Amino acid sequence: MSVGVSPSTAPTPATEVNTSTFSTVDYVVFVLLLVFSLIIGLYHAYRGWGRHSLGQLLLADRKMGCLPVALSLLATFQSAVAILGVPSEIYRFGTQYWFLGCSYILGLLIPAHIFIPIFYRLHLTSAYEYLELRFNKAVRVCGTVTFIFQMVIYMGVVLYAPSLALNAVTGFDLWLSVLTLGIVCTIYTALGGLKAVIWTDVFQTLVMFLGQLAVIIVGSAKVGGLGHVWDVASQHGLISGIELDPDPFVRHTFWTLAFGGVFMMLSLYGVNQAQVQRYLSSRTEKAAVLSCYAVFPCQQVALCTGCLIGLVMFTYYQQHPMSAQQTQATPDQFVLYFVMDLLRGLPGLPGLFVACLFSGSLSTISSAFNSLATVTMEDLIRPWFPHFSDVQATMLSRIIAVGYGLLCLGMAYISSHMGPVLQAAISIFGMIGGPLLGLFCLGMFFPCANPPGAIVGLLAGLVMALWIGIGSIVANMASGTAPPPSNGSSFSLPSNLTTVTVATLMSSTTVSKPAGLQRFYSLSYLWYSAHNSTTVIVVGLAVSVLTGGMRGRTLNPQTIYPVWLGLLAFCPHSATLRPVPKPLV
């Protein structure tokens, strides 16, 4: 279905917009977000001060309920970059992106019934402990170092990028917002531990939904209601049908979003330490599984909210021409310009949306700090210094969290000097998730896989991921063209409008079909995780077979998922009654 608008219907420049739209009430609302986040963190720190064990600090003493864990899982996923990126995607390319919601079904069912039971029954603290139990210590260290590299690169960017957009649109001081976010986050994460992070995530999730809901209500009221929004979007081809093109090089199709997105979801909700740590903090395995179920409707609401903001924004700019300043905006600034324009004259609401944006940053960054402190302590320090007492280990974990907070501020400063490489830095987060997913799948589903195969497979996956990801970015930068919608139709926007990567690298295609390596580089970003995890599995299995498999090595049966037994569970009852042949000894 065609997605796009004709040049005659594109928004036209109007008068200059004043970016100084923040009132005293807005600043009060914004400050209250930071104060309440600090209070929640300090409350949990004070409540157990002097009695905190390492288990309480890193895993909330494994006593969390499913609802706060589910909202924390959602908050970690819903970063500020996504809050800005999804409406911009819908505004520019239509609602095809909404079909990503179909991937949430398998993307959460598989972790709930495969990854969570294995991790929980092994009584892990770090997801990478699994790799030592399944393979050996070397594989565990490789997985941990890969994760640390992924998160350190990403957390500086996720702190800097929204602050930069906010500065450009509202005049908010750039480094004041960066420092405020970094310091507040470091304090409550280091002192309160995972319990403080989870409960602040719950509060910040509510703020995020309130901020987005305010934009939808005010925006739809100003343009004539949601029915009118839908009519205008339909008239201009923004309401996408199901695009069944199987070509993996088309940026967004139903198959790409619904099935390629499953692998992206698995890399986030299946094996990412920030999410696994929340599962492991649940009081029971059943509570952990229920939290995974509970996050599904929350994610659908979050996705629909972002899509609605994009449609309301499109309708609004059909009725209210853009200013000259807005026509020069980059996509990550679109939503902020729209919100400041829409909510001007309504004291408190611009502040609520900025609080919503900063809530997304706080929840993502605090999760990064906490998970990084956990893997550093559990995977890199405690195995080599087992004599540390619980008190010493707890204090050291707090110091490590503070250290990562300072490192995050340093990475934000480096990000400010990266220029076009900023896109590559954000992309690395998505590139590395696939190989890590492949490493865990290799261990769980293939009993013949051995440590040499795991290490070589991980390295092959990382090389392939960085080759395709960075090659795609360089190719697009060299072409200097902005991406059209996935069906190739045109959407009139300012000529200087360039693509920026949001939470999961929004790669692009060109109007004419590329050939050779250029064709290879145009693989849809949603297939990255699938392609790279498959590379790890194929190479890992080949090396394992060549090096003798698990012959002469001990295999822990608790680290293996019985694939065939799992498949039999979906068969009719009569099929499961057939005698199963005994395995050969």
Side-chain angles (χ1 to χ4, degrees), residues 43-339:
Y43 166 76
H44 287 288
Y46 174 77
R47 190 180 179 190
W49 193 259
R51 302 188 307 275
H52 273 160
S53 65
L54 191 62
Q56 288 174 320
L57 191 71
L58 301 182
L59 289 175
D61 213 21
R62 301 183 191 266
K63 291 182 179 178
M64 296 302 300
C66 66
L67 185 58
V69 170
L71 292 176
S72 182
L73 288 167
L74 177 69
T76 304
F77 180 82
Q78 187 79 350
S79 71
V81 190
I83 293 172
L84 294 177
V86 173
S88 175
E89 165 74 19
I90 301 302
Y91 175 83
R92 299 167 67 214
F93 301 133
T95 59
Q96 187 76 31
Y97 185 80
W98 180 84
F99 288 106
L100 182 66
C102 299
S103 71
Y104 294 170
I105 302 171
L106 283 177
L108 291 169
L109 277 176
I110 293 174
H113 292 282
I114 295 179
F115 293 107
I116 292 177
I118 289 178
F119 290 147
Y120 202 91
R121 291 167 194 175
L122 290 171
H123 206 70
L124 306 177
T125 299
S126 162
Y128 304 99
E129 289 180 66
Y130 167 84
L131 297 177
E132 181 174 353
L133 295 172
R134 173 60 180 87
F135 297 111
N136 60 21
K137 189 169 289 187
V139 180
R140 176 181 181 177
V141 170
C142 287
T144 301
V145 170
T146 303
F147 172 75
I148 290 174
F149 174 73
Q150 176 192 33
M151 295 302 290
V152 165
I153 293 289
Y154 183 67
M155 67 182 183
V157 175
V158 87
L159 174 61
Y160 174 75
S163 297
L164 180 63
L166 196 65
N167 169 259
V169 176
T170 67
F172 232 63
D173 186 85
L174 173 63
W175 290 108
L176 178 61
S177 61
V178 168
L179 286 171
T180 301
L181 274 175
I183 292 171
V184 168
C185 215
T186 301
I187 290 173
Y188 74 73
T189 304
L191 296 180
L194 183 62
K195 184 176 283 189
V197 170
I198 288 176
W199 283 111
T200 51
D201 282 351
V202 171
F203 167 66
Q204 289 156 8
T205 301
L206 297 177
V207 173
M208 280 190 273
F209 277 121
L210 283 175
Q212 291 175 301
L213 193 61
V215 172
I216 292 172
I217 291 172
V218 175
S220 60
K222 284 194 175 183
V223 299
L226 287 177
H228 182 65
V229 168
W230 189 265
D231 290 340
V232 171
S234 298
Q235 290 168 13
H236 293 89
L238 250 69
I239 307 301
S240 305
I242 299 178
E243 176 59 66
L244 295 176
D245 188 348
D247 188 353
F249 298 98
V250 176
R251 181 170 175 264
H252 283 167
T253 67
F254 175 79
W255 307 114
T256 297
L257 290 157
F259 292 98
V262 168
F263 291 88
M264 182 192 74
M265 291 293 295
L266 291 178
S267 68
L268 286 168
Y269 281 92
V271 300
N272 187 286
Q273 171 64 25
Q275 311 290 50
V276 171
Q277 199 166 334
R278 281 153 177 74
Y279 301 142
L280 298 175
S281 71
S282 301
R283 60 171 62 98
T284 62
E285 182 184 324
K286 183 179 179 181
V289 171
L290 285 176
S291 70
C292 207
Y293 280 146
V295 82
F296 173 75
C298 298
Q299 275 192 327
Q300 294 291 356
V301 170
L303 180 62
C304 291
T305 301
C307 292
L308 274 176
I309 290 175
L311 294 178
V312 170
M313 180 166 63
F314 182 86
T315 306
Y316 181 85
Y317 283 124
Q318 296 302 309
Q319 300 177 3
H320 305 81
M322 282 186 171
S323 69
Q325 192 174 7
Q326 288 167 320
T327 60
Q328 303 300 314
T330 53
D332 60 327
Q333 297 173 353
F334 265 28
V335 177
L336 277 169
Y337 272 119
F338 164 63
V339 169

Side-chain angles (χ1 to χ4, degrees), residues 79-82 84 149-165 174-175 178 181 332 360-361 364-365 368-369 404 407-430 500-505:
S79 71
V81 190
L84 294 177
F149 174 73
Q150 176 192 33
M151 295 302 290
V152 165
I153 293 289
Y154 183 67
M155 67 182 183
V157 175
V158 87
L159 174 61
Y160 174 75
S163 297
L164 180 63
L174 173 63
W175 290 108
V178 168
L181 274 175
D332 60 327
S361 288
T364 303
I365 297 165
F369 289 172
Y404 277 118
L407 182 59
C408 177
L409 292 173
M411 288 303 301
Y413 178 76
I414 293 172
S415 298
S416 68
H417 295 281
M418 288 173 73
V421 185
L422 182 62
Q423 179 176 339
I426 301 176
S427 307
I428 286 172
F429 183 83
V500 293
T501 308
V502 294
T504 53
L505 171 64

Side-chain angles (χ1 to χ4, degrees), residues 348-488:
L349 290 186
L352 178 61
F353 187 80
V354 170
C356 154
L357 192 66
F358 273 56
S359 291
S361 288
L362 283 168
S363 60
T364 303
I365 297 165
S366 63
S367 299
F369 289 172
N370 192 256
S371 59
L372 284 167
T374 300
V375 299
T376 303
M377 189 67 208
E378 293 295 317
D379 299 323
L380 301 181
I381 295 178
R382 290 198 89 181
W384 306 103
F385 300 96
H387 59 277
F388 277 172
S389 68
D390 201 57
V391 174
Q392 289 174 318
T394 301
M395 183 56 66
L396 184 57
S397 293
R398 286 197 170 103
I399 294 171
I400 292 170
V402 172
Y404 277 118
L406 296 175
L407 182 59
C408 177
L409 292 173
M411 288 303 301
Y413 178 76
I414 293 172
S415 298
S416 68
H417 295 281
M418 288 173 73
V421 185
L422 182 62
Q423 179 176 339
I426 301 176
S427 307
I428 286 172
F429 183 83
M431 295 175 202
I432 294 176
L436 285 175
L437 172 64
L439 182 61
F440 280 91
C441 289
L442 181 68
M444 288 184 186
F445 304 134
F446 301 96
C448 64
N450 63 15
I455 292 175
V456 175
L458 176 62
L459 291 175
L462 289 172
V463 169
M464 183 64 73
L466 295 174
W467 178 25
I468 297 177
I470 295 177
S472 173
I473 293 167
V474 171
N476 287 331
M477 288 170 59
S479 66
T481 57
S486 56
N487 64 354

